[in-house]
């Protein structure tokens, strides 16, 4: 038996990994050059507590349990999770009922370690919070992660368990026989036999569904713009800080990142048309993000700390909820789409639900394997090791001593390992090792990383790309 999972974002990768526990060959297909480069790449990276998702929604059902699954998952797959905690801040007694509503909703949703704190405790938790705030809803289970690493590590684990991970190939349709998909067609012309098809194509779940003549709720896009701040800003921030939520969503936040930076944002703006390539940022969006940051933490709007702006797109439906369903039209085709926030947090619980509850609806009886290997080997991060250990590593392999990314202290040996793990582009290296993620955003190290990629992949430098087709770094030699 063979399952084809379409989409190498956090949702598709975790479903593919969950399927790998059973006696079914898993083929994970991602149209981009690398795993985790769609919505999974550009978001707030928060493991939400789950207190603000409306009752009765799939968001409410899967967020809190998904959050709690991250500790074991992170231990097995060796990606970082920091349980920073979060606060939703309120100014005065008029705003207190909103916090109480969130608290009650959180209790109903099964959220643990949730309570309202007064001014003194708020100041202890977050000493630089604006003096205007007197109350907060504290959530101890909230945390942060690197979403792309959740996807990349899950895909590596799929491969380690005998699955196949195909990148740079788009699913364009399939063969249908007696109401079931029997083959999935890729853009290269390859045809993959399929007993089960999971559509986890992110922003493109509607497009993929329609390629199989399956109806799903129409998707529209809502953009979120961010500013990434230098590590120096982290002196002002301990945890995830939310303003009071509004009808537009959770609001513009201040969020620490796992590698020591700080994010401001996101905005929440409906795009007038379906334009999934539009990840541009705007002057007005970034100004509003800065102002909101400053409103929460006075002093954080410091131009010297701005190192990058970016935007992510949320796949939305009028139902404002995830869409998880076996197709009426095709017995073995399941769509897991409309994965707006908290899709990252909910993803592990959704993966378990899809495999245990929805796959049986397709008529497939999955049998557990007894040889599934849940753990990945830890990848070395020189920066996180004590000096004595680093010198031992350098004695064994001098490439650990050649630091390529000065901002995040990433060595040549780590970059080579990332290439062995599947990185094929400069962004592939960046997302796996953090080289190029720091203050200079690759200004100093990209060139050396390109040379290492060319050397290890035995390519000409002109063939090395930043990420996708056409994003080359050098065009050719100017002098022989
Ligand atoms: C601004 C913003 C902030 C957010 N903040 C949070 C947060 O803090 N916490 C949280 O829990 N959630 C958050 N989310 C939601 C979370 O990021 C998403 O729910 C999650 O990343 C969705 O993952 P996915 O796998 O469904 O989509 P994707 O990551 O987009 O993966 C789908 C993949 O399918 C591929 N694909 C598409 N079509 C095809 C095809 N035909 N063939 C092959 N491959 C294909 C795409 O290239 C893509 O890589 C946020 C989202 C946004 C936009």
């Amino acid at each position: 038996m063979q399952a084809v999972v379409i989409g190498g974002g956090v949702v598709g990768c975790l479903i593919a990994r969950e399927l790998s526990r059973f006696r079914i060959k898993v083929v994970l297909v991602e149209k981009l050059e690398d795993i985790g480069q769609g919505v999974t790449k550009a978001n707030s990276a928060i493991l939400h507590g789950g207190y603000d998702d409306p009752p009765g929604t799939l968001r409410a059902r899967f967020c809190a349990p998904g959050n709690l699954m991250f500790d074991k998952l992170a231990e097995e797959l060796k990606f970082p999770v920091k349980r920073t905690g979060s606060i939703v801040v309120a100014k005065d007694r008029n705003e207190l009922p909103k916090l109480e509503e969130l608290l009650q909703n959180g209790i109903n949703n099964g959220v643990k370690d949730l309570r309202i704190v007064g001014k003194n405790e708020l100041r202890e938790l977050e000493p630089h919070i604006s003096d205007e705030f007197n109350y907060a809803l504290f959530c101890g289970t909230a945390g942060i992660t690197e979403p792309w690493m959740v996807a990349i590590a899950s895909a590596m684990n799929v491969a380690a368990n005998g699955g196949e991970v195909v990148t740079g190939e788009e699913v364009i349709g399939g063969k249908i026989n007696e109401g079931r998909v029997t083959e999935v067609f890729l853009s290269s012309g390859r045809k993959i036999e399929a007993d089960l098809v999971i559509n986890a194509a992110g922003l493109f779940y509607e497009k993929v569904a329609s390629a199989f003549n399956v109806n799903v709720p129409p998707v529209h896009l809502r953009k979120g713009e961010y500013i990434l701040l230098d590590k120096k800003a982290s002196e002002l921030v301990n945890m995830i800080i939310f303003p009071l939520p509004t009808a537009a969503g959770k609001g513009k936040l201040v969020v620490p990142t796992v590698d020591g930076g700080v994010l401001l944002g996101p905005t929440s703006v409906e795009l007038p048309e379906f334009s999934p390539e539009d990840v541009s940022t705007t002057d007005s969006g970034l100004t509003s993000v800065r102002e909101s940051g400053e409103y929460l933490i006075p002093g954080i709007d410091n131009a010297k700390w701005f190192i990058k702006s970016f935007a992510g797109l949320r796949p939305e439906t009028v139902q404002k909820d995830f869409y998880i369903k076996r197709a009426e039209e095709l017995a073995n085709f399941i769509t897991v789409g409309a994965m707006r926030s908290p899709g990252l947090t909910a993803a592990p619980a959704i993966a378990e639900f899809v495999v245990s509850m929805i796959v049986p609806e397709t008529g497939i009886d999955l049998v557990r394997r007894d040889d599934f290997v849940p753990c990945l080997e830890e990848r070395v991060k020189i920066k996180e090791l004590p000096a004595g250990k680093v010198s031992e590593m350098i004695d064994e392999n001098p490439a650990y001593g050649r630091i390529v990314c000065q901002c995040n202290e990433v060595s040549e040996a780590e970059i080579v390992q990332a290439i062995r793990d599947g990185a094929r582009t400069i962004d592939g290296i960046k997302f796996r090792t953090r080289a190029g993620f720091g203050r200079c955003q690759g200004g100093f190290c990209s060139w050396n990383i390109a040379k290492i990629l060319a050397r290890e992949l035995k390519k000409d430098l002109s063939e090395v790309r930043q990420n996708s087709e056409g994003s080359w770094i050098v065009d050719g030699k100017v002098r022989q």
Side-chain angles (χ1 to χ4, degrees), residues 5-13 29-32 34-48 63 147 169-172 186 199-205 207-208 222-226 250 253 266-267 311-315 322 336-347:
V5 180
I6 308 168
V10 69
V11 173
C13 291
V29 187
E30 167 53 52
K31 70 173 180 178
L32 299 176
D34 209 343
I35 295 296
Q37 300 298 297
V39 184
T40 296
K41 170 174 96 164
N43 54 65
S44 308
I46 297 171
L47 303 179
H48 288 291
C63 185
E169 293 249 30
E170 184 172 353
V171 170
I172 53 169
L186 304 191
N199 167 15
L203 303 180
F204 302 90
Y205 76 87
K207 184 180 174 196
V208 167
R222 197 154 48 87
K223 187 187 276 188
E225 296 180 35
Y226 293 91
K250 298 180 183 80
L253 332 171
T267 54
L313 299 173
R314 306 167 180 93
F322 307 146
V336 187
M339 299 301 299
R340 39 112 73 206
S341 186
L344 160 68
T345 315

Side-chain angles (χ1 to χ4, degrees), residues 26 34 110 136 162 180 201 293 308 310 405 480:
V26 180
D34 209 343
R180 296 182 84 86
K308 186 185 169 75
F310 64 94
C405 166
Q480 290 303 324

